[in-house]
Amino acid sequence: AHRSLERFQAEHWDFPQWKQEIDWLLKKRFNLFMLRIGLDDLFQKAFPELVDYPVWKVPETIEGSYDDRDLFWKLQYRAELRKKILDYAFERDLMHPEDVGTMTHWYSRTPKAFLEAVRPDFLPQSTAGYSDPTGRVWDIRQDGNLERYFHLTETHIRAYGKPELFHTIGLAERRCYQDPEANHAMKRYTLRRIIRRLRSSWPNAPLLIASWDFCMYWTPDEVRELLKELDPANTLIFDYTSDTTNDYNNFTNWGVLGKFPWIFGIFHAFESNADIRGDYATIARRLETAAGDPFCKGMVLWPENAHADTLMLEYVAANAWNPSLRRISDFLPEFCRKRYASEERGEMSGIWLRALPIIQMRFFIGPQTDHAALLGENIFRVIMYDMYSTLNYDNLKVHSWYRKTTEEAAKGIPEFFALLASRAEKPLSEFARRDLMDLAKMCCGRVLHCMMSRLPLFLEEWRNLKRGEDFLDGILEDMETFYRLTARLLEACEEFSLNYSLKRLENARECNPNFEKTLKANASNGYCRSYIFELFSALYLPEFKVYAKFIQEKTAAGDHTAFVRPDRFDTEQERIAEEFRKTPLRCYAPDIQAARQELPDTLKRLNLCSSRLLNAQSSAEKRTTTLF
């Protein structure tokens, strides 16, 4: 339910793309999928006397934000599309779970017309997140609200689905009360009430209980207590967070092994994490445990974006039925054998093998850990949060951990850029070209992450008189260059262009003539920023310059007091965002042909710049080579 680049966002896809997606699922022998394509017409179908179909403007929209849900295609067509997709899937025997329970705080926001007519009471909420009434949870303690929720489920079954398999997230991410015990009691009660009502209509249909809230807010003891209430004959724990870095709060301590039906799953990525990644060592170790447990009933992948990581998709497909290729190094030869023509196979296999340490530098950081601040792509929001500008103990601890755990793998990045440059000078098949671009993009992200974690440590060293200003000036100058080179790399492929994605929507069918504004907001909010070409010149580089200026002013003044995020960052961020909002997207459009011709040279420049950054030489030593 996100929007930005077509390749990564399922909401952009029309039926031909969904048909191809489902055909691929069948080819890989998957048998279950969950269809998330953004705004649905459930309320219009369930409560037609209360809720009308919008034209383009959705009344619940919060403009300029993640919650700007204005339509690009008409909602009536989205309904037709959902019906066609699910019919096509069901004809091919794929399973699709029906959502039950408190759905209004996840993807299916409550229309304002419904709220104004019904005025449902809400569950108490002690935090500001999801505080807009359209995202609040109706008070499920009241029978009327419970029945309204189930009327939505029944409506989806009647219009689109099948009552054969159900799914609930309970009260995921919600804090009804500040008191942990009271909050947990409400979550338990909500699940109990959802299950009891489900069983009154569908007593035997399997229910998947999502693990998202477990990994975020529950303790292993609390999960074990919940299992005592659940019926293993018709309930499964749907654990799509089995790859969490939290070694304490995961399925191995939840009491499911050898006792309760569950599904092993890889979360892999948030919306912004649109690159190749994965903690394959942890996945292999835990997958071995799952493979040996007769109560483990399957394996799933739940990324918040699509097709960002070909390697992970194929790895899951290969292991889902028969987890014999758990080690990623064992899987790679098979992956390359099937993916490339014989003349490319050996060289591409060598490239992927060399990439493995770099791939594993980034992965799903589990909630409830000391390093949860690394969940998102902070390299694209350097002045948005205090992570890089307020150098307190907690932030520096996170940066130190990332530097320590990635320093060895980072040493191989410059040479890997040189390897990719050499390969880019030769003819490339479609798969090899896409994979080369994805691997290069991944490496750019790794360098930026490494340096944006090292820079605060360098600043703290400067503050303690262990670094000079010229050293910091050189780092900042090369960082700006590296952002520019990353943008040039992305410019070589239409898949990373917001302009390209918008034109695809407009060419497919009648499209909202004002959707450009919404697409910009959806792509550029703090949660969703990713590897998007246009956002580099519009947002990322201008914001980095604000950050660099803040550092240079402080060092030039010899101000060795602690670094603290200045209030002016908010003003500067809004100024930059306003400029982006008022500038037509076409003004940022890529020159794809020119960038593609320069691709080998761009990769060579990335090799040199990454070497300078990761070796962290002083500015005096390195100004002899111009990189951009």
Side-chain angles (χ1 to χ4, degrees):
H2 301 287
R3 299 148 159 180
S4 62
L5 301 178
E6 180 193 45
R7 170 180 162 187
F8 308 114
Q9 309 305 331
E11 188 170 349
H12 286 256
W13 302 347
D14 210 340
F15 186 65
Q17 290 133 305
W18 271 108
K19 182 176 179 294
Q20 183 180 27
E21 186 77 0
I22 290 169
D23 291 345
W24 181 84
L25 293 176
L26 294 168
K27 177 183 177 182
K28 298 299 178 181
R29 299 179 67 230
F30 286 115
N31 59 5
L32 175 145
F33 81 120
M34 296 185 74
L35 180 61
R36 303 294 193 195
I37 57 169
L39 205 62
D40 294 316
D41 70 337
L42 278 187
F43 279 90
Q44 284 78 8
K45 280 187 164 66
F47 305 100
E49 71 284 1
L50 302 179
V51 184
D52 293 329
Y53 281 86
V55 182
W56 299 121
K57 188 74 178 173
V58 175
E60 299 76 59
T61 273
I62 300 175
E63 287 195 5
S65 76
Y66 172 89
D67 291 315
D68 188 335
R69 304 309 297 167
D70 283 354
L71 297 160
F72 54 85
W73 296 335
K74 289 185 176 178
L75 192 59
Q76 291 91 332
Y77 177 69
R78 300 208 66 83
E80 295 175 21
L81 179 61
R82 171 169 282 270
K83 174 69 172 167
K84 286 177 69 175
I85 293 168
L86 286 175
D87 283 352
Y88 188 80
F90 290 146
E91 287 169 4
R92 283 145 187 82
D93 235 12
L94 283 174
M95 294 181 284
H96 181 269
E98 297 287 338
D99 281 319
V100 292
T102 52
M103 297 182 285
T104 49
H105 69 301
W106 210 246
Y107 296 109
S108 305
R109 296 298 178 95
T110 308
K112 284 188 175 180
F114 179 90
L115 293 176
E116 291 166 359
V118 177
R119 297 187 178 279
D121 292 328
F122 298 118
L123 283 179
Q125 192 162 302
S126 65
T127 54
Y130 303 103
S131 57
D132 188 89
T134 63
R136 293 284 297 275
V137 179
W138 310 337
D139 193 339
I140 201 168
R141 296 170 294 188
Q142 300 173 8
D143 289 344
N145 287 329
L146 179 65
E147 289 307 313
R148 291 182 189 104
Y149 273 129
F150 269 81
H151 184 47
L152 290 172
T153 298
E154 291 161 350
T155 299
H156 189 277
I157 291 170
R158 184 177 66 253
Y160 304 114
K162 291 182 177 182
E164 297 177 351
L165 179 64
F166 293 87
H167 163 262
T168 186
I169 58 167
L171 290 181
E173 297 190 26
R174 296 308 170 100
R175 287 180 179 162
C176 298
Y177 308 104
Q178 286 293 343
D179 176 61
E181 290 187 11
N183 189 59
H184 182 66
M186 178 63 82
K187 292 191 173 189
R188 287 269 295 272
Y189 171 80
T190 298
L191 283 172
R192 196 179 302 133
R193 194 149 164 75
I194 291 169
I195 293 170
R196 188 180 300 129
R197 175 62 182 82
L198 174 69
R199 295 304 169 212
S200 70
S201 295
W202 300 283
N204 300 314
L207 171 65
L208 305 172
I209 297 182
S211 69
W212 188 243
D213 208 38
F214 299 165
C215 85
M216 289 195 72
Y217 293 116
W218 293 44
T219 67
D221 286 342
E222 289 170 341
V223 179
R224 286 193 290 267
E225 285 300 310
L226 173 68
L227 293 184
K228 295 176 183 178
E229 297 185 31
L230 304 179
D231 185 353
N234 55 21
T235 312
L236 300 94
I237 300 301
F238 191 44
D239 180 23
Y240 49 81
T241 60
S242 305
D243 58 330
T244 174
T245 54
N246 191 323
D247 278 330
Y248 171 66
N249 189 21
N250 63 65
F251 72 89
T252 63
N253 290 328
W254 288 347
V256 295
L257 295 175
K259 298 177 182 177
F260 199 91
W262 66 289
I263 290 174
F264 178 97
I266 298 172
F267 182 80
H268 179 258
F270 287 93
E271 155 62 8
S272 58
N273 304 148
D275 67 4
I276 303 168
R277 57 182 52 219
D279 185 359
Y280 281 101
T282 296
I283 292 170
R285 185 176 72 251
R286 293 193 181 146
L287 183 53
E288 184 173 10
T289 300
D293 183 15
F295 280 80
C296 183
K297 303 301 180 182
M299 182 176 178
V300 298
L301 176 71
W302 184 312
E304 274 195 351
N305 54 57
H307 301 180
D309 189 343
T310 299
L311 182 65
M312 181 61 77
L313 285 169
E314 296 287 351
Y315 175 85
V316 172
N319 281 282
W321 283 97
N322 181 24
S324 60
L325 294 170
R326 290 187 292 269
R327 288 178 51 182
I328 189 65
S329 56
D330 294 337
F331 168 69
L332 266 181
E334 179 70 1
F335 168 74
C336 293
R337 184 185 67 81
K338 291 183 176 180
R339 187 162 179 81
Y340 305 112
S342 57
E343 61 271 17
E344 291 182 313
R345 199 170 294 152
E347 193 169 10
M348 291 304 297
S349 182
I351 287 173
W352 278 103
L353 196 61
R354 291 274 293 278
L356 279 182
I358 305 169
I359 289 171
Q360 295 178 97
M361 289 170 65
R362 289 282 289 165
F363 40 77
F364 170 52
I365 303 286
Q368 298 191 44
T369 66
D370 292 339
H371 315 115
L374 295 170
L375 285 169
E377 297 305 281
N378 301 310
I379 54 175
F380 301 139
R381 47 193 191 182
V382 294
I383 64 172
M384 194 171 288
Y385 307 118
D386 72 354
M387 188 172 181
Y388 302 123
S389 49
T390 297
L391 304 189
N392 55 27
Y393 175 82
D394 289 338
N395 284 342
L396 290 170
K397 183 180 178 182
V398 170
H399 295 311
S400 296
W401 177 84
Y402 191 71
R403 176 172 185 169
K404 181 180 179 180
T405 55
T406 61
E407 195 156 26
E408 189 60 34
K411 293 176 182 177
I413 294 177
E415 187 178 347
F416 190 72
F417 273 127
L419 181 64
L420 294 179
S422 175
R423 184 66 188 88
E425 290 176 332
K426 305 172 187 176
L428 292 164
S429 68
E430 181 183 353
F431 281 163
R433 182 187 63 79
R434 168 178 276 190
D435 293 346
L436 184 145
M437 287 293 298
D438 283 353
L439 288 166
K441 176 189 71 172
M442 172 199 71
C443 288
C444 288
R446 298 299 188 270
V447 173
L448 291 172
H449 276 289
C450 281
M451 295 313 301
M452 286 308 301
S453 273
R454 292 183 187 186
L455 187 52
L457 302 176
F458 294 155
L459 295 177
E460 188 67 4
E461 290 173 354
W462 171 86
R463 205 170 71 81
N464 290 288
L465 307 179
K466 297 179 180 178
R467 293 280 184 186
E469 288 86 349
D470 64 334
F471 174 83
L472 296 177
D473 288 343
I475 294 291
L476 291 170
E477 184 177 337
D478 279 349
M479 285 289 291
E480 181 179 333
T481 297
F482 201 86
Y483 273 100
R484 293 182 186 278
L485 288 170
T486 302
R488 190 58 167 168
L489 172 77
L490 299 180
E491 193 174 7
C493 182
E494 63 274 2
E495 291 180 337
F496 306 128
S497 166
L498 213 55
N499 276 277
Y500 173 81
S501 292
L502 178 60
K503 288 177 182 177
R504 293 274 292 185
L505 293 176
E506 293 171 341
N507 292 337
R509 59 190 62 255
E510 182 186 7
C511 189
N512 178 356
N514 297 313
F515 185 68
E516 177 178 317
K517 180 179 71 172
T518 295
L519 182 61
K520 285 166 135 184
N522 292 163
S524 64
N525 69 81
Y527 185 78
C528 297
R529 293 186 178 196
S530 66
Y531 298 84
I532 299 171
F533 165 73
E534 290 86 351
L535 298 192
F536 275 81
S537 57
L539 299 174
Y540 305 162
L541 267 164
E543 290 179 2
F544 180 81
K545 288 180 179 180
V546 170
Y547 173 71
K549 183 179 179 182
F550 157 67
I551 293 172
Q552 289 169 330
E553 288 177 348
K554 189 171 173 64
T555 57
D559 179 2
H560 288 265
T561 59
F563 282 82
V564 178
R565 183 182 186 272
D567 293 339
R568 72 171 186 268
F569 275 11
D570 294 328
T571 305
E572 289 291 292
Q573 184 185 326
E574 178 54 32
R575 175 186 62 79
I576 294 166
E578 177 58 28
E579 183 67 23
F580 177 52
R581 284 192 290 267
K582 73 181 185 182
T583 304
L585 195 55
R586 65 177 182 274
C587 295
Y588 303 104
D591 185 346
I592 294 173
Q593 284 303 115
R596 188 166 293 179
Q597 288 177 356
E598 292 178 17
L599 180 59
D601 187 56
T602 299
L603 289 165
K604 291 174 185 177
R605 292 169 185 259
L606 285 164
N607 158 251
L608 291 172
C609 194
S610 63
S611 180
R612 289 193 338 192
L613 281 167
L614 294 169
N615 291 327
Q617 302 165 29
S618 72
S619 60
E621 293 176 286
K622 59 186 182 181
R623 292 283 71 82
T624 56
T625 306
T626 300
L627 295 178
F628 204 89

